[in-house]
């Protein structure tokens, strides 16, 4: 049991194929279910697979929490974009975790170390049939490892960090939070593929859905913002980033998600193709079935998987994975005579048009699946939150469904969001939408600043069995 006199520390870890993010939270055990976790530190190691890796370490409080006792009055020292040198210039995910722990132990402003961390929350992309978070023991570890073939670029690095925690923080409780768990409520006719059912069951082939931790945060935050009971909330949520997805949430639960058996299905991303004709890849290459050079002895990736996951998306069309560049170049083309723009410049507009087309396709589909009973269209994720241009273009194309956005795409409202706000309203004037016609029901357009690390930490505080 935790002492009521000292804070409990929760470390949320979000591991990607080439990066790992750390968020350290302080929790008052006595009031854990009523008081949200306090973020005190953020850190990350990026470009792990394309050295030099970059280390960041940022304190999130202006001063140390009063509940934290230290022997030093040194002010917090942040680290920004420090280049890391490892063996042969490379570092592993295990190295990245050790670098974080070393810096934490030297942080005299906080005065804590890895030994003070009671819970470590791991974002695991593919959780198979797990309906909720689980404590990671040998049995659950082996089960998650068996799912690696369904998400090799995500589960394997995450498990590498889990192993690091076992080794470096042996007294810490490790908890797995699955992106797939939120979508366990999808009905059979949505999550099943039209293939042989015996083979599907044997090989665990079905739609699982992803970004579930994010959608859990979005659902709860939007319900609170609208003052509506969670079980009555119907929204279309868009998690738009380098990995992008859409979700239909009915009565507070996932009804459909654009991603499928793997995160590849659905919307295109920075390097993912999204949904394509399944036979396309066999026309694209004659080596679709062979192992790619990215494969290792314990992580098997076919050439087809590598092409569709790492060599497609808007970066394959434009040469850049930076979506803001695509927006800027497309806006420049929009203001020019298209006959005077080069084929190279036209690629940026094509990439943007493809992405918007696929996004509005899911909005329309989910609007119908929800029977038109939609409380809000919600934008989230790095692109959804930051790109007013994209939001405006998307909402204008679905105006026929009753959505209207502020003239500036909600840019001023979003920029004015304080750190204590997670959701804001960027709805436009509905009267102008219908232009004198009989007024139709107002539909909200919202932006939600989703936070997967916080969601894991918060869920940890709500689990009585852990405390």
């Amino acid at each position: 049991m935790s002492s009521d006199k000292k804070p409990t520390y929760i470390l949320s870890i979000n591991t990607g194929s080439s990066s790992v993010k750390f968020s350290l939270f302080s929790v008052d055990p006595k009031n854990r279910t009523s008081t949200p976790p306090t973020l005190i530190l953020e850190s990350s190691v990026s470009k792990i697979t394309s050295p030099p890796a970059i280390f960041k370490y940022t304190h999130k409080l202006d001063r140390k929490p009063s509940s934290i006792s230290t022997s030093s009055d040194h002010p917090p020292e942040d680290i920004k974009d420090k280049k890391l040198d490892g063996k042969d210039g490379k570092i592993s995910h295990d190295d990245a975790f050790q670098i974080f722990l070393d810096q934490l132990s030297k942080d005299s402003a906080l005065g804590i170390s890895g030994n003070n961390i009671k819970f470590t929350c791991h974002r695991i992309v593919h959780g198979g049939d797990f309906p909720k978070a689980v404590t990671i023991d040998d049995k659950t570890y082996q089960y998650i490892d068996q799912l690696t073939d369904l998400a090799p670029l995500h589960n394997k690095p995450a498990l590498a960090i889990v192993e690091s925690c076992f080794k470096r923080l042996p007294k810490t409780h490790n908890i797995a939070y699955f992106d797939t768990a939120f979508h366990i409520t999808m009905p059979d006719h949505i999550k099943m593929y039209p293939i042989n059912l015996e083979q599907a069951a044997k090989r665990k082939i079905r739609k699982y859905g992803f970004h579930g931790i994010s959608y859990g945060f979005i659902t709860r935050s939007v319900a609170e913002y609208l003052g509506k009971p969670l079980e009555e909330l119907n929204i279309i949520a868009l998690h738009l980033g380098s990995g992008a997805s859409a979700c239909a949430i009915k009565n507070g639960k996932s009804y459909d998600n654009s991603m499928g058996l793997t995160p590849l299905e659905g919307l295109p991303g920075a390097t993912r193709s999204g949904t394509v004709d399944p036979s396309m890849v066999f026309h694209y290459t004659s080596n679709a079935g062979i192992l790619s050079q990215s494969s290792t002895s314990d992580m098997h990736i076919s050439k087809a998987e590598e092409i569709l996951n790492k060599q497609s998306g808007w970066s394959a069309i434009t040469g850049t994975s930076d979506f803001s560049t695509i927006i800027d170049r497309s806006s420049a083309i929009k203001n020019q005579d298209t006959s005077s723009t080069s084929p190279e410049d036209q690629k940026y507009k094509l990439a943007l048009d493809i992405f918007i087309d696929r996004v509005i396709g899911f909005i329309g589909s989910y609007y119908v699946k929800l029977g038109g009973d939609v409380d809000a269209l919600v934008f989230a994720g790095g692109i959804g939150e930051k790109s007013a241009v994209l939001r405006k273009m998307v909402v204008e194309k679905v105006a026929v469904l009753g959505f209207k956005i502020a003239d500036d795409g909600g840019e001023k409202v979003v920029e004015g969001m304080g750190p204590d706000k997670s959701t804001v309203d960027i709805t436009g004037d509905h009267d102008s939408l219908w232009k004198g016609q009989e007024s139709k029901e107002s539909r909200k357009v919202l932006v939600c600043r989703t936070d997967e690390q916080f969601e894991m930490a918060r869920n940890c505080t709500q689990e009585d069995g852990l405390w």
Side-chain angles (χ1 to χ4, degrees):
M1 295 294 290
S2 299
S3 169
D4 287 349
K5 297 181 180 180
K6 295 182 179 180
T8 295
Y9 297 103
I10 300 175
L11 179 65
S12 290
I13 305 178
N14 193 337
T15 308
S17 58
S18 62
S19 66
V20 56
K21 299 176 183 178
F22 307 99
S23 296
L24 184 63
F25 297 87
S26 174
V27 176
D28 176 2
K30 188 175 182 180
N31 300 303
R32 61 179 173 82
T33 60
S34 58
T35 303
T38 299
L39 177 64
I40 60 176
L41 180 71
E42 281 186 339
S43 182
S44 67
V45 179
S46 58
K47 301 182 68 176
I48 292 176
T49 58
S50 54
I54 303 296
F55 179 55
K56 296 181 180 180
Y57 186 92
T58 307
H59 296 82
K60 302 307 291 185
L61 292 177
D62 292 335
R63 58 183 177 82
K64 65 192 179 190
S66 59
S67 58
I68 299 177
S69 174
T70 71
S71 59
S72 171
D73 290 326
H74 292 170
E77 294 184 8
D78 295 342
I79 297 174
K80 183 179 181 181
D81 297 337
K82 179 182 178 181
K83 294 183 179 179
L84 302 174
D85 295 320
K87 185 178 180 181
D88 300 324
K90 297 181 180 180
I91 69 169
S92 66
H93 283 78
D94 180 54
D95 294 330
F97 188 47
Q98 184 62 59
I99 290 167
F100 167 74
L101 291 178
D102 287 345
Q103 185 60 39
L104 180 63
S105 66
K106 294 185 293 186
D107 190 341
S108 57
L110 291 180
I112 62 176
S113 69
N115 293 327
N116 298 114
I117 298 171
K118 183 174 180 62
F119 299 105
T120 301
C121 303
H122 300 266
R123 179 195 173 205
I124 306 291
V125 167
H126 214 306
D129 294 323
F130 276 123
K132 62 180 182 178
V134 296
T135 298
I136 305 175
D137 54 21
D138 290 341
K139 184 177 181 180
T140 54
Y141 180 95
Q142 292 300 324
Y143 180 85
I144 297 168
D145 191 38
Q146 291 173 6
L147 296 169
T148 296
D149 285 344
L150 296 178
L153 300 174
H154 299 85
N155 273 27
K156 204 65 183 180
L159 287 175
I161 292 292
V162 171
E163 291 179 3
S164 296
C165 288
F166 286 161
K167 178 173 59 177
R168 304 187 190 283
L169 302 177
K171 295 182 179 180
T172 299
H173 298 277
N174 290 277
I175 309 163
Y177 290 86
F178 304 107
D179 264 343
T180 48
F182 182 76
H183 304 293
I184 202 77
T185 54
M186 291 189 298
D188 286 347
H189 71 276
I190 287 177
K191 68 184 179 185
M192 298 304 297
Y193 293 110
I195 58 175
N196 182 279
L197 294 181
E198 291 182 359
Q199 284 296 315
K202 179 181 179 180
R203 299 179 180 273
K204 299 184 183 298
I205 297 175
R206 66 169 177 84
K207 177 196 281 267
Y208 287 92
F210 298 90
H211 285 149
I213 300 171
S214 174
Y215 286 122
F217 179 96
I218 292 167
T219 302
R220 179 176 52 80
S221 298
V222 170
E224 290 177 0
Y225 181 81
L226 296 178
K228 193 164 189 175
L230 189 66
E231 61 274 14
E232 296 178 9
L233 184 73
N234 296 328
I235 61 173
I236 299 170
L238 306 172
H239 179 112
L240 306 180
S242 58
S245 69
C247 189
I249 295 169
K250 183 177 183 179
N251 298 327
K253 298 179 179 180
S254 176
Y255 187 73
D256 198 356
N257 181 248
S258 58
M259 291 178 164
L261 173 69
T262 74
L264 181 60
E265 187 178 351
L267 296 174
T271 63
R272 292 179 190 147
S273 66
T275 298
V276 295
D277 184 327
S279 66
M280 181 275 289
V281 71
F282 299 105
H283 294 270
Y284 189 90
T285 177
S286 58
N287 298 318
I290 68 171
L291 291 179
S292 77
Q293 293 182 346
S294 301
S295 293
T296 64
S297 58
D298 55 359
M299 184 171 70
H300 303 150
I301 303 172
S302 70
K303 188 65 178 177
E305 288 175 307
E306 184 174 61
I307 290 170
L308 297 176
N309 276 290
K310 306 298 289 186
Q311 299 174 7
S312 299
W314 58 72
S315 64
I317 298 173
T318 65
T320 181
S321 59
D322 186 350
F323 199 81
S324 63
T325 298
I326 294 172
I327 289 286
D328 292 342
R329 293 289 292 268
S330 298
S331 298
I333 292 172
K334 185 177 180 180
N335 297 326
Q336 298 176 13
D337 179 359
T338 55
S339 63
S340 65
T341 58
S342 69
E344 190 70 22
D345 287 340
Q346 289 289 341
K347 291 180 180 179
Y348 291 92
K349 185 176 184 302
L350 176 62
L352 180 60
D353 288 346
I354 288 175
F355 187 62
I356 290 175
D357 176 77
R358 304 314 191 260
V359 170
I360 65 173
F362 279 106
I363 294 173
S365 171
Y366 291 168
Y367 183 90
V368 172
K369 288 189 177 188
L370 294 174
D373 183 10
V374 179
D375 297 310
L377 173 64
V378 185
F379 289 87
I383 296 171
E385 178 188 329
K386 296 176 182 177
S387 180
V389 174
L390 175 79
R391 294 193 298 263
K392 188 172 176 62
M393 294 178 73
V394 167
V395 176
E396 286 178 345
K397 287 185 177 295
V398 295
V400 68
L401 302 179
F403 296 106
K404 181 76 189 305
I405 193 169
D407 291 339
D408 68 346
E411 184 172 15
K412 291 181 180 178
V413 175
V414 173
E415 288 180 351
M417 287 177 71
D420 58 333
K421 281 190 175 182
S422 63
T423 305
V424 291
D425 192 339
I426 59 170
T427 310
D429 179 7
H430 280 80
D431 289 338
S432 65
L433 175 64
W434 301 113
K435 297 178 181 178
Q437 301 178 41
E438 183 179 349
S439 179
K440 298 191 178 182
E441 184 180 356
S442 170
R443 304 195 188 283
K444 296 285 187 183
V445 180
L446 308 175
V447 171
C448 181
R449 185 182 289 155
T450 188
D451 190 337
E452 292 162 319
Q453 279 95 308
F454 174 85
E455 186 69 3
M456 289 190 289
R458 178 192 171 278
N459 287 341
C460 179
T461 65
Q462 306 300 305
E463 288 290 337
D464 291 337
L466 296 173
W467 297 78

